[in-house]
């Protein structure tokens, strides 16, 4: 703030070498936006009035068009300001309430109030360097702590400084330009890119040739170019590369490194990886010659170089480069955000390798860091990456949640229409995978509408056409699907994008076979193979092409060759994790066997009919398992329909399995109710898991949200229990009861106790992730669990009208009571379960010693152990 003091000794005490400027601060004005403005007088003469051609322009209607002239004279004691009143009598001019007549000169002293019309200005002195340097340094410190709102408040105060006259190279203007740069950086971090654009363009187009101004101009060009890269507006980014490079030639290595880094980023997105790598290597060399520390830029160059390697599909090398950006090297929030981006790309690579759980752990850590650093745009991208990992994982519910969170950021906080279009497209894919093609079309329409407003998205339109083609194909709109597929192929061909072109041709080939256009399908297959060969990826896509040749042979009536090709394709596909291609191959192969079954029946060849029926039944059931594990709704319905037409009892069993304990279902089908009324004494492990914070959630959330959250909880709890060989006995309000029986060595666990404990830990972790996605820290949702093992009775209980297949015994009571005793986030296991886990070779990281507690409906106290609360170590190890 300027100094206001009426003591004249203050002026004389100012050392001559200090930079002091006269300052007029608006203390009263008819226009609120003028209040607090500080006019720094840099010229010897300053015209004051109501017109824009006056250096000091005010909006007050009572001020004349040219009201007065201020003259600044330098003296050893400091600047002296005199005012010549040019206003007629109708426009009053006062100094300390004393009227100044027209054409009369008055002298301003420190603290004097100058009144022009209805506007009052206080005169003081402004010491340039200490004040502005202090404000800018404070803003930088706040930015490093991610306290962006406080930093913006500090910058808002700087906006009140209005330089009046003086050379463009003045130190004051440079400080204000630096403040403008800081404000642009904060806006870009918070996702307010329109505001950032405007400020950065002002700095880039500044005409000053002073060295300091050049340095700031290169910084601004780099930041603005990076924004254009992230919006996929690569033409604008390239233009800024040239401007930054031209200015950087006059500067030191740091600024040349900035320009080269931007060149590398742009070249990588344009898929010119040779130029990108050359630019990044040049940037690193320039930094080696730079004498001052440049850790942030060094980390950024390494990150962008690794991203270029990733975009070139050299994933092993990219993973190595990303892993070299370590957390311990981070000295500030900028470097932490860079490290989080490296984590995100590592997660993407693991997801591509089908290590979905490992990918999710990395992406979750990246998202946590980006939330702490308040990097809104990068947080948005991390949400999208987690969604795509879940989508590949077959967990569509979680994918939809993260895409909705991404879209929420993009519509409320982050201005990036390109990413908005991408997120809408992926959400459409979720609905399409679920089998909701009409809902998917709405999202694809939104994607296309957003693309219409964007530059540089010609290549992306190919993916949009392919999305539309898939939706129309699922809806049976053959002509529309063909048209969109052909358009997608043409765009991919134009950009020489061989792999997506080949994959689209494969889909088009299948679509033509469905519409019986066999010759066109054969031509598509040949072109697809040539695309994969051009990309050097023919071997990787060989099983897909083999399955396609099988369909083509079938369409031409060569059933023997078709069967051989399908079998050959499946041998390779079944060695990999479940995928859409595997499920689709099961469907096509099964349809062929079903057709051959019907033909054999017509020919009264019973042996062949039975063989084909058995093969078709097995293929459809395998396909249903594959589609269900990946949540491939449309494919799942097609497989169920085929199985129902082949054997109605099988699809009934599949549907009933959603409501009935699998063990009971086997008895229903295999024993025809003979054994259902008998109780069986058996060794089981019982698990109870319950949500903590559910009651508070019901109070604060609308019922639709509660329904969605509860269904998501039930969904992943059931999936986890099934993955560990257990069965869900029942849902109890906001809790789940599960039963584990016998060995589960098939999934790498030693016994039922280990399976139950592992399930409980996984469910508790998933609830934490659910809470992260849905709520703030203050409204946390957690889970608690109780596990007990022993002998109990298994069978039907109930009335003639309604019965349940369940377990009865002390083990159930103990598990339920332990769950009730557990704190949020804690699991309590009975001593019997603990001993079974130890015998099974598992090491449980327990919290303290064994405890005892008396529980309801039990005479003897329960002995139990506590797992997983505050230990900081994995609670289960095999």
């Amino acid at each position: 703030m300027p100094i206001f003091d009426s003591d004249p000794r203050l002026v004389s005490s100012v050392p001559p070498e200090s930079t002091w400027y006269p300052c007029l601060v608006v203390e009263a004005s008819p226009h609120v936006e003028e209040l607090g403005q500080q006019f720094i007088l840099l010229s010897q003469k300053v015209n004051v009035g109501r017109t824009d051609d006056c250096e000091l322009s005010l909006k007050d209607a009572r001020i004349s068009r040219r009201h007065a002239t201020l003259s600044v004279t330098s003296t050893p004691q400091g600047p002296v300001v005199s005012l010549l009143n040019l206003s007629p009598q109708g426009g009053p001019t006062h100094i300390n309430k004393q009227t100044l007549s027209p054409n009369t000169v008055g002298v301003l002293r420190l603290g004097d109030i100058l009144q022009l019309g209805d506007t009052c200005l206080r005169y003081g002195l402004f010491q340039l360097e200490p004040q502005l340097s202090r404000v800018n340094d404070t803003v930088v410190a706040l930015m490093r702590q991610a306290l962006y709102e406080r930093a913006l408040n500090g910058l808002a105060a700087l906006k009140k400084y209005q330089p009046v006259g003086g050379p463009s190279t003045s130190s004051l203007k440079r400080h204000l330009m630096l403040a403008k740069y800081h404000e642009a950086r904060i806006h870009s971090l918070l996702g307010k890119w329109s505001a950032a654009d405007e400020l950065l363009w002002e700095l880039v187009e500044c005409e000053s040739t002073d060295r300091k101004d050049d340095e700031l101009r290169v910084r601004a060009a780099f930041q603005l170019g990076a924004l254009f890269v992230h919006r996929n507006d690569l033409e604008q980014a390239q233009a800024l590369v040239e401007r930054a490079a031209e200015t950087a030639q006059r500067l030191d290595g740091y600024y040349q490194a900035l320009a080269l880094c931007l060149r590398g980023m742009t070249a990588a997105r344009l898929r010119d990886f040779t130029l990108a790598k050359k630019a990044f290597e040049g940037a690193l060399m320039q930094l080696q010659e730079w004498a001052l520390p440049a850790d942030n830029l060094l980390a950024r160059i390494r990150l962008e170089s690794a991203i270029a390697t990733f975009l070139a599909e050299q994933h092993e090398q990219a993973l190595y480069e990303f892993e070299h950006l370590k957390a311990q090297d981070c000295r500030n929030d900028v470097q932490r955000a860079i490290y989080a981006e490296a984590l995100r790309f590592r997660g993407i690579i693991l997801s591509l390798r089908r290590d979905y759980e490992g990918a999710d752990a990395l992406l979750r850590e990246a998202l946590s860091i980006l939330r702490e650093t308040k990097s809104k745009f990068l947080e948005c991208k991390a949400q999208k990456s987690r969604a795509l990992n879940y989508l590949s994982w077959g967990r569509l519910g979680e994918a939809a949640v993260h895409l909705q969170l991404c879209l929420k950021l993009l519509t409320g906080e982050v201005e990036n229409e390109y990413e908005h279009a991408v997120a809408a497209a992926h959400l459409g894919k979720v609905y399409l995978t679920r089998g909701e093609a009409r809902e998917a079309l709405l999202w694809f329409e939104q994607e296309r509408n957003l693309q219409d407003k964007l530059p540089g998205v010609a290549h992306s339109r190919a993916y949009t056409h392919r999305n539309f083609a898939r939706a129309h194909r699922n809806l049976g709109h053959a002509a529309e699907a063909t048209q969109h597929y052909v358009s997608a192929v043409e765009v991919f061909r134009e950009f020489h994008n061989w792999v997506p072109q080949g994959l689209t041709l494969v889909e088009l080939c299948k679509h033509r076979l469905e519409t019986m256009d066999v010759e066109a399908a054969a031509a598509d297959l040949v072109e697809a193979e040539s695309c994969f060969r051009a990309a050097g990826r023919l071997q990787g896509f060989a099983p897909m092409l083999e399955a396609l040749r099988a369909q083509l042979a079938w369409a031409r009536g060569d059933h023997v060759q078709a069967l051989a090709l399908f079998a050959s394709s499946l041998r390779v596909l079944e060695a990999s994790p479940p995928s859409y291609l595997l499920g689709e191959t099961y469907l096509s192969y099964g349809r062929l066997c079903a057709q051959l079954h019907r033909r054999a029946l017509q020919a009264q060849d019973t042996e062949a009919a039975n063989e084909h029926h058995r093969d078709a039944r097995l293929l459809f059931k395998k396909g249903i398992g594959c589609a269900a594990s990946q949540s491939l709704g449309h494919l799942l319905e097609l497989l169920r329909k085929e199985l129902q037409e082949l054997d109605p009892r099988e699809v009934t069993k599949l549907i009933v399995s959603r409501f009935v304990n699998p063990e009971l279902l086997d008895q229903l089908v295999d024993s025809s109710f003979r054994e259902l009324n008998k109780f069986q004494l058996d060794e089981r492990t019982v698990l109870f898991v319950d949500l903590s914070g559910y009651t508070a959630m019901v109070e604060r959330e609308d019922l639709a949200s509660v329904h969605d959250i509860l269904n998501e909880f039930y969904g992943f709890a059931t999936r986890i229990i099934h993955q560990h060989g257990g069965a869900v006995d029942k849902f109890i309000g906001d809790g789940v009861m599960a039963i584990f029986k016998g060995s589960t060595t098939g999934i790498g666990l030693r016994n039922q106790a280990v399976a139950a404990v592992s399930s409980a830990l996984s469910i508790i972790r998933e609830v934490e992730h659910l809470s992260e996605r849905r709520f703030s820290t203050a409204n946390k949702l957690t889970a608690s669990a109780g596990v007990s093992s022993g002998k109990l009775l298994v069978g039907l209980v109930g009335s003639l009208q309604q019965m349940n297949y369940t377990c009865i015994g002390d083990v159930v009571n103990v598990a339920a009571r332990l769950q009730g005793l557990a704190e949020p986030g804690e699991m309590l296991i009975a001593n019997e379960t603990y001993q079974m886990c130890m015998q099974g070779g598992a090491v449980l990281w327990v919290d303290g010693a064994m405890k005892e507690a008396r529980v309801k409906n039990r005479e003897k106290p329960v002995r139990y152990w506590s797992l997983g609360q505050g230990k900081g170590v994995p609670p289960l190890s095999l």
Side-chain angles (χ1 to χ4, degrees):
M1 293 291 292
I3 297 169
F4 295 116
D5 197 319
S6 56
D7 188 349
R9 290 174 299 176
L10 182 63
V11 175
S12 60
S13 66
V14 176
E17 63 271 19
S18 296
T19 308
W20 291 81
Y21 291 92
C23 177
L24 291 171
V25 180
V26 179
E27 292 199 337
S29 171
H31 299 274
V32 177
E33 67 271 18
E34 286 187 345
L35 293 174
Q37 282 194 356
Q38 303 176 32
F39 296 101
I40 317 298
L41 308 181
L42 303 179
S43 297
Q44 291 181 346
K45 284 197 176 294
V46 174
N47 292 315
V48 184
R50 196 160 35 87
T51 58
D52 292 337
D53 60 349
C54 291
E55 290 87 356
L56 201 164
S57 178
L58 298 168
K59 297 180 180 179
D60 190 342
R62 296 190 65 199
I63 292 177
S64 305
R65 294 175 63 83
R66 177 159 294 189
H67 196 98
T69 297
L70 294 168
S71 298
V72 181
T73 306
S74 297
T75 70
Q77 290 75 33
V80 175
V81 176
S82 57
L83 179 142
L84 172 62
N85 181 27
L86 302 176
S87 172
Q89 290 287 39
T93 301
H94 304 282
I95 296 178
N96 292 334
K97 297 184 179 180
Q98 293 183 3
T99 304
L100 203 64
S101 302
N103 299 314
T104 303
V105 175
V107 178
L108 294 173
R109 295 172 175 267
L110 287 174
D112 282 354
I113 298 295
L114 170 64
Q115 182 176 350
L116 306 174
D118 292 327
T119 301
C120 294
L121 304 100
R122 181 182 289 271
Y123 171 61
L125 290 179
F126 181 92
Q127 192 176 19
L128 177 66
E129 293 293 344
Q131 176 65 25
L132 290 183
S133 295
R134 188 161 54 247
V135 172
N136 275 317
D137 290 346
T138 302
V139 166
V140 171
L142 291 171
M143 288 172 66
R144 286 175 177 165
Q145 300 171 55
L147 300 173
Y148 298 128
E149 293 303 323
R150 287 177 59 186
L152 285 174
N153 289 338
L155 291 169
L158 278 182
K159 286 183 179 179
K160 295 291 184 180
Y161 298 131
Q162 301 290 325
V164 178
S168 60
T169 57
S170 71
S171 184
L172 170 62
K173 287 191 175 180
R174 188 173 302 118
H175 275 289
L176 294 178
M177 287 172 64
L178 185 59
K180 192 174 291 186
Y181 174 76
H182 292 324
E183 184 180 358
R185 289 284 293 118
I186 293 171
H187 284 313
S188 65
L189 287 168
L190 295 177
K192 307 297 183 185
W193 286 8
S194 296
D197 276 3
E198 184 178 346
L199 293 166
L200 291 169
W201 271 121
E202 288 180 26
L203 296 172
V204 169
E205 293 177 344
C206 172
E207 294 181 358
S208 169
T209 56
D210 182 84
R211 179 184 179 82
K212 291 291 184 183
D213 293 339
D214 280 347
E215 291 174 357
L216 194 57
R217 193 156 45 241
V218 173
R219 287 176 180 268
F222 175 80
Q223 297 298 339
L224 188 56
L227 293 186
F228 283 122
V229 165
H230 288 308
R231 279 188 295 213
N232 205 46
D233 191 348
L234 300 180
E235 187 176 339
Q236 288 268 42
Q238 279 185 300
L240 284 160
V241 166
E242 300 310 320
R243 295 183 72 159
E246 182 183 353
T247 307
Q249 286 179 355
R250 302 192 291 267
L251 302 173
D252 296 327
Y254 178 87
Y255 300 96
Q256 293 180 35
L258 270 179
L260 284 167
C261 182
L262 181 59
R263 186 182 297 280
M265 291 164 60
T266 307
R269 271 61 175 192
L270 289 167
R271 310 192 71 79
D272 187 346
F273 300 115
T274 303
L275 176 60
K277 281 297 182 182
K278 182 179 178 182
F280 291 130
E281 289 169 3
L284 290 172
M285 288 179 61
Q286 290 292 342
L287 279 190
Q288 288 175 359
E289 299 173 6
W290 177 250
L292 300 176
D295 294 339
N296 288 4
L297 181 56
L298 180 63
R300 179 68 180 270
I301 292 168
R302 287 175 174 167
L303 173 71
E304 293 295 344
S305 179
I307 292 173
T309 306
F310 169 79
L311 293 174
E313 299 185 10
Q314 300 172 15
H315 293 163
E316 193 66 39
Q317 177 62 25
L319 197 60
Y320 173 81
E321 293 179 28
F322 286 126
E323 287 171 349
H324 274 65
L325 289 158
K326 302 183 190 305
Q328 57 266 32
D329 295 335
C330 298
R331 295 182 176 85
N332 54 51
D333 277 347
V334 172
Q335 291 174 35
R336 290 184 69 212
I338 289 171
Y339 169 65
E341 269 291 88
L343 284 176
R344 184 173 75 87
F345 276 97
R346 286 168 59 190
I348 292 170
I349 293 171
L350 290 188
S351 183
L352 292 171
R353 294 177 173 180
R354 300 177 184 271
D355 181 3
Y356 302 122
E357 193 166 351
D360 189 54
L362 291 172
L363 292 169
R364 190 168 61 249
E365 184 182 351
L367 188 56
S368 175
I369 293 170
L370 294 170
R371 281 173 172 162
E372 290 172 6
T373 59
K374 299 180 183 176
S375 304
K376 292 296 183 180
F377 172 64
L378 297 180
E379 179 188 341
C380 172
K381 296 197 80 168
Q383 292 283 15
K384 185 186 73 175
S385 296
R386 285 195 77 184
L388 297 185
N389 182 52
Y390 280 127
L391 186 57
S392 301
W393 202 348
R395 293 168 60 172
L396 298 188
E398 290 98 325
V401 167
H402 283 285
L403 284 170
Q404 292 287 7
L405 289 170
C406 178
L407 285 167
K408 183 178 179 182
L409 284 168
L410 286 164
T411 53
E413 298 185 67
V414 178
E415 299 171 8
N416 190 318
E417 295 299 309
Y418 176 75
E419 288 294 338
H420 197 158
V422 171
H426 286 306
L427 196 53
K429 290 177 187 176
V430 170
Y431 283 106
L432 191 60
T433 307
R434 282 176 174 174
E436 303 172 41
R438 294 191 184 280
E439 185 71 22
L441 274 177
L442 296 177
W443 286 102
F444 296 149
E445 287 284 357
Q446 184 174 338
E447 176 199 13
R448 184 166 62 185
N449 291 340
L450 288 164
Q451 282 183 341
D452 289 342
K453 306 172 187 176
L454 297 172
V457 293
H459 178 263
S460 300
R461 292 185 187 279
Y463 294 98
T464 308
H465 280 301
R466 192 167 70 181
N467 288 336
F468 272 107
R470 289 169 174 171
H472 284 299
R473 183 180 167 197
N474 285 6
L475 290 169
H477 304 159
E480 291 90 338
T482 302
Q483 180 182 351
H484 281 292
Y485 273 131
V486 170
S487 297
V489 169
E490 288 174 354
V491 177
F492 283 133
R493 186 185 294 125
E494 179 185 349
F495 286 91
H496 305 291
N497 207 337
W498 303 117
V499 172
Q501 182 184 341
L503 292 172
T504 307
L505 284 163
V506 166
E507 290 187 31
L508 178 56
C509 179
K510 293 173 183 176
H511 174 60
R512 292 197 199 272
L513 287 172
E514 290 167 5
T515 57
M516 302 307 294
D517 191 351
V518 178
E519 294 311 312
D524 292 333
L525 175 57
V526 171
E527 188 178 352
E529 188 171 351
S530 67
C531 288
F532 296 137
R533 185 178 289 107
R537 302 276 296 277
L538 184 59
Q539 186 175 358
F541 292 108
M544 175 192 296
L545 296 173
E546 196 87 334
L548 202 54
R549 290 191 195 95
Q551 293 183 55
L552 195 60
W554 177 17
R556 288 171 169 167
D558 191 344
H559 296 150
V560 175
Q561 185 184 15
L563 287 170
L565 290 169
F566 272 131
S568 172
S569 174
L570 271 183
R571 278 194 294 271
V572 179
L573 291 173
E574 286 182 329
S576 301
S579 62
Y580 184 88
L581 176 59
L582 177 60
E584 193 178 42
T585 306
Y586 280 132
L587 174 64
S588 300
Y589 193 0
R591 279 174 169 171
L592 174 56
C593 291
Q595 186 186 73
L596 294 174
H597 159 69
R598 297 183 187 101
R599 290 189 179 185
L601 283 178
Q602 291 174 356
Q604 298 183 348
D605 186 346
T606 306
E607 185 177 350
N610 288 339
E611 182 182 351
H612 290 310
H613 180 276
R614 184 176 61 252
D615 290 343
R617 179 172 172 266
L618 178 62
L619 288 164
F620 289 142
K621 290 183 72 174
K622 282 185 174 182
I624 286 169
C626 175
S629 70
Q630 298 295 298
S631 302
L632 305 172
H634 179 68
L635 184 60
L636 189 62
E637 290 306 312
L638 291 176
L639 284 156
R640 282 176 174 166
K641 183 179 178 182
E642 293 290 343
L643 184 59
Q644 188 171 26
E645 290 179 1
L646 182 72
D647 189 344
R649 291 173 301 173
E650 285 297 327
V651 79
T652 301
K653 182 177 176 180
L654 285 166
I655 293 171
V656 174
S657 67
R658 297 177 64 187
F659 307 97
V660 178
N661 184 299
E663 189 174 343
L664 172 62
L665 182 61
D666 290 338
Q667 293 188 43
L668 280 168
V669 175
D670 299 333
S671 63
S672 302
F673 297 91
R674 287 193 304 272
E675 303 295 325
L676 285 180
N677 289 323
K678 294 182 180 179
F679 263 96
Q680 178 183 359
L681 186 65
D682 206 351
E683 185 88 18
R684 305 288 175 96
T685 296
V686 179
L687 163 66
F688 278 85
V689 183
D690 191 79
L691 290 177
S692 304
Y694 175 77
T695 304
M697 179 187 71
V698 172
E699 290 179 359
R700 68 176 180 264
E701 303 289 332
D702 62 88
L703 291 179
S705 297
V706 172
H707 171 268
D708 290 343
I709 293 166
L710 202 55
N711 276 347
E712 189 174 346
F713 165 64
Y714 288 154
F716 63 67
T718 302
R719 172 177 50 78
I720 290 169
I721 290 164
H722 286 174
Q723 284 175 346
H724 288 81
V728 174
D729 185 85
K730 60 176 69 71
F731 297 125
I732 310 167
D734 59 338
V736 178
M737 173 184 170
I739 305 168
F740 294 80
K741 173 189 177 183
S743 174
T744 55
T745 54
I747 57 171
L749 299 172
R750 301 299 178 87
N751 55 41
Q752 56 176 293
V754 177
V757 171
S758 298
S759 295
L761 291 169
S762 295
I763 292 170
I764 290 170
R765 282 196 294 268
E766 283 295 332
V767 171
E768 290 175 357
H769 303 164
L770 170 64
S771 181
E772 288 175 9
R773 292 193 296 270
R774 296 279 191 170
F775 306 115
S776 65
T777 307
N779 299 323
K780 194 173 182 182
L781 193 66
T782 56
S784 57
V787 188
S788 179
S789 303
K791 291 193 175 183
L792 39 72
L793 291 170
V794 183
L796 283 171
V797 295
S799 65
L800 292 174
Q801 290 77 25
Q802 184 171 342
M803 305 189 83
N804 283 328
Y805 186 82
T806 189
C807 300
I808 298 174
D810 182 55
V811 175
V812 179
N813 181 50
V814 169
R817 301 306 175 197
L818 287 176
Q819 182 278 313
L821 287 173
E823 297 292 328
E826 184 182 25
M827 173 169 51
L828 302 182
I829 67 168
N831 185 51
E832 294 78 7
T833 306
Y834 177 79
Q835 297 301 329
M836 289 174 68
C837 288
M838 297 293 284
Q839 292 166 12
V843 178
L844 301 182
W845 296 90
V846 295
D847 186 4
M850 184 177 68
K851 304 177 181 67
E852 286 191 357
R854 291 195 174 275
V855 298
K856 187 177 178 181
N857 298 333
R858 200 175 195 270
E859 292 184 5
K860 294 182 180 180
V862 175
R863 295 189 298 168
Y864 66 90
W865 300 81
S866 171
L867 271 73
Q869 191 170 29
K871 295 294 290 182
V873 292
L876 178 68
S877 175
L878 290 175

